[in-house]
Amino acid sequence: MAAPTPTPSNNRKVLGRLSLPERTFVANALRTETVGGVLLLIAAVTALIWANTAGGSYESVRSFHLGPGSLGLDLSIQHWAADGLLAVFFFVAGIELKRELVAGDLRDPKAAALPVVAALCGMAVPALVYVLVNTVGGGSTDGWAVPTATDIAFALAVLAVIGTSLPSALRAFLLTLAVVDDLFAILIIAVFFTSDLNFAALGGAVLGLAVFWLLLRKRVRGWYIYVPLALVIWGLMYNSGVHATIAGVAMGLMLRCHKEDESEEHSPGEHIEHLVRPLSAGLAVPLFALFSAGVMVSGGAIGDVFTRPETLGVVLGLVVGKAVGIFGGTWLAARFTKAELNEDLAWPDVFAVASLAGIGFTVSLLIGELAFTEDPLLTDEIKAAVLIGSLVAAVFSGILLKVRNAKYRKLWEDEERDDDLDGIPDIYEQDKPDYHLRMAAIYEKKAAEHRRLAEVSGGEREDGNGPA
């Protein structure tokens, strides 16, 4: 089979081939997120079964309070999961965002334009859909931000379940969308869901962050210094009235995410992300899902999701708004920058990934809790809407992706092929003479072996010992 033609580096491509270092990073990050996504699915299903079959034990457990009340931290299990464990998730998101800005695709304004525009449209259109539905239906517009987020772990779990092999460009596009989504979700939480401020606690948190930053600049090492400091900063941020997850983001953004010299195999930020990401994806997020996704489900409750404007707005925002917003933003960015779509892909592929981004589980549940904190019944209905909307988006996108799965698998296999066994995919070595010399030697060795076998089998036939 002919070798794939390398993409010229001077051509602007929409969803073009990643550089080898970026491809390696994306593959490693998504591998952990995929495992975490499967655990997230299991936790969500467990929460639903527990809440609907075990009487009131689910509500009793998640509303159980513990923690030092003198420090303002006598919280329920549900709040510890949402405000505490999710701080770990947002810490990883902060590192990921910092890395994208200084070493990844977002460092180049031209390359960053497409995923940023796509992500912004993918947040604005769902919000507009929600506001429109609730304006027409006379509902509350307080939940406008609920359908704006994408859950990368849940999306990757769907890919794992349906068995599709997206090429790295589409996976990276999905990851970058989620990173930008996380950034704006963080801003939404900080700006729109901050309660009455306690300026003394906020000042203490800012001072703690300044100490954290100074220690990093001075190259002070030791988890026994940073972990206690991080806990103090988190506690002060929680008591300040600003959502406590903002502390995690701020500390993640402070880490250095670029290598200062060639002696560094990984930057400190990448190293810490590698250590903490499994904790975030494998423990923090699934536990949050376990204590947040448990809502009572009945025929009437499901029917209410499609008749009440607040919940209908969430479902339509996730399923319709996300797909239309991301696809439209990508098309407009390509149209006005005169960039060409990768010749291996088609616009229906972009629409399928845009539909997959409608899975807005973790952050959508969090924002739903914050938006309707005074109305527990509506909060549960919003959560049910998030679950249903994410499920519909998953099924719809799964069908679209499955139709093109044969094409994706071929692209994935081409990206993974390493015939010269040097550890680098052949697709990245098409312009290197050494690669072609190695392949020539491999083929010459195979040809010599086939000639030897031909001579042996020919001799056997002449002696009458071979097959007739």
Side-chain angles (χ1 to χ4, degrees):
M1 181 167 56
T5 303
T7 303
S9 60
N10 59 343
N11 283 359
R12 291 287 317 286
K13 292 288 183 183
V14 177
L15 302 179
R17 186 184 310 149
L18 303 178
S19 66
L20 183 58
E22 186 70 8
R23 177 183 178 277
T24 302
F25 173 82
V26 168
N28 291 336
L30 295 184
R31 189 176 297 114
T32 303
E33 292 288 358
T34 301
V35 175
V38 173
L39 294 175
L40 182 61
L41 280 172
I42 294 172
V45 172
T46 301
L48 287 171
I49 294 173
W50 186 5
N52 286 274
T53 60
S57 65
Y58 178 80
E59 187 61 38
S60 298
V61 171
R62 74 172 180 176
S63 61
F64 181 77
H65 278 64
L66 71 161
S70 59
L71 299 178
L73 296 175
D74 182 20
L75 311 178
S76 67
I77 296 292
Q78 183 179 4
H79 276 100
W80 276 113
D83 295 316
L85 291 177
L86 276 196
V88 179
F89 167 80
F90 279 105
F91 174 68
V92 174
I95 300 175
E96 200 170 60
L97 176 62
K98 178 70 172 291
R99 185 203 161 274
E100 285 291 328
L101 290 171
V102 302
D105 287 345
L106 298 183
R107 73 185 185 280
D108 178 4
K110 290 183 179 179
L114 186 140
V116 169
V117 170
L120 284 174
C121 292
M123 298 186 79
V125 175
L128 289 174
V129 169
Y130 179 92
V131 171
L132 179 62
V133 170
N134 282 272
T135 300
V136 173
S140 170
T141 57
D142 291 346
W144 63 269
V146 175
T148 60
T150 294
D151 194 309
I152 183 66
F154 213 142
L156 292 172
V158 170
L159 293 179
V161 169
I162 65 176
T164 190
S165 300
L166 285 187
S168 60
L170 286 177
R171 287 178 175 260
F173 181 61
L174 185 61
L175 177 61
T176 306
L177 281 175
V179 170
V180 179
D181 257 8
D182 286 342
L183 168 63
F184 287 100
I186 291 159
L187 294 176
I188 288 171
I189 290 170
V191 174
F192 295 99
F193 298 107
T194 294
S195 56
D196 295 335
L197 289 177
N198 180 329
F199 287 99
L202 181 60
V206 172
L207 179 61
L209 288 171
V211 172
F212 189 89
W213 179 85
L214 183 62
L215 291 174
L216 290 173
R217 297 287 81 77
K218 296 294 185 181
R219 310 294 170 88
V220 175
R221 298 178 181 273
W223 65 268
Y224 46 84
I225 296 175
Y226 289 102
V227 171
L229 178 59
L231 292 175
V232 170
I233 293 171
W234 175 86
L236 289 168
M237 190 69 75
Y238 177 84
N239 281 284
S240 73
V242 177
H243 199 269
T245 54
I246 303 301
V249 176
M251 287 184 278
L253 287 171
M254 290 182 181
L255 294 174
R256 177 168 61 84
C257 292
H258 64 279
K259 294 188 289 187
E260 291 188 333
D261 54 61
E262 294 301 322
S263 64
E264 281 189 326
E265 184 177 356
H266 301 288
S267 68
E270 290 174 312
H271 175 67
I272 293 173
E273 181 184 18
H274 179 73
L275 295 176
V276 179
R277 184 185 286 276
L279 176 63
S280 169
L283 182 66
V285 175
L287 281 178
F288 166 76
L290 179 63
F291 293 112
S292 290
V295 294
M296 298 298 292
V297 177
S298 65
I302 294 175
D304 290 344
V305 167
F306 295 98
T307 57
R308 183 161 183 165
E310 292 89 349
T311 51
L312 180 61
V314 169
V315 173
L316 292 179
L318 289 172
V319 177
V320 178
K322 273 290 183 182
V324 172
I326 292 173
F327 178 82
T330 305
W331 187 86
L332 289 173
R335 175 71 175 81
F336 288 104
T337 60
K338 298 182 179 180
E340 299 176 0
L341 183 65
N342 182 349
E343 59 274 8
D344 292 328
L345 300 172
W347 284 109
D349 300 317
V350 180
F351 185 77
V353 172
S355 301
L356 187 65
I359 300 172
F361 189 75
T362 305
V363 178
S364 291
L365 289 177
L366 175 62
I367 294 178
E369 290 182 359
L370 297 174
F372 299 104
T373 185
E374 302 299 328
D375 190 342
L377 178 59
L378 182 54
T379 298
D380 280 350
E381 292 177 344
I382 290 292
K383 288 180 179 182
V386 170
L387 294 174
I388 291 173
S390 297
L391 177 62
V392 173
V395 172
F396 180 58
S397 61
I399 294 171
L400 296 179
L401 292 169
K402 204 66 177 175
V403 170
R404 295 272 289 170
N405 194 44
K407 175 68 173 179
Y408 296 150
R409 185 166 295 279
K410 181 182 179 300
L411 291 173
W412 183 83
E413 289 172 351
D414 287 343
E415 290 178 355
E416 296 295 317
R417 184 175 294 111
D418 182 19
D419 289 338
D420 62 340
L421 303 177
D422 67 341
I424 299 175
D426 296 342
I427 202 168
Y428 289 96
E429 300 186 291
Q430 300 300 311
D431 57 347
K432 296 180 180 179
D434 289 348
Y435 162 76
H436 294 288
L437 291 174
R438 287 195 299 273
M439 291 304 301
I442 290 171
Y443 286 128
E444 287 168 1
K445 183 177 179 180
K446 288 182 178 179
E449 178 64 15
H450 283 294
R451 281 193 291 269
R452 185 188 69 79
L453 292 174
E455 292 171 358
V456 170
S457 59
E460 288 177 349
R461 281 197 296 271
E462 290 175 3
D463 294 339
N465 296 324

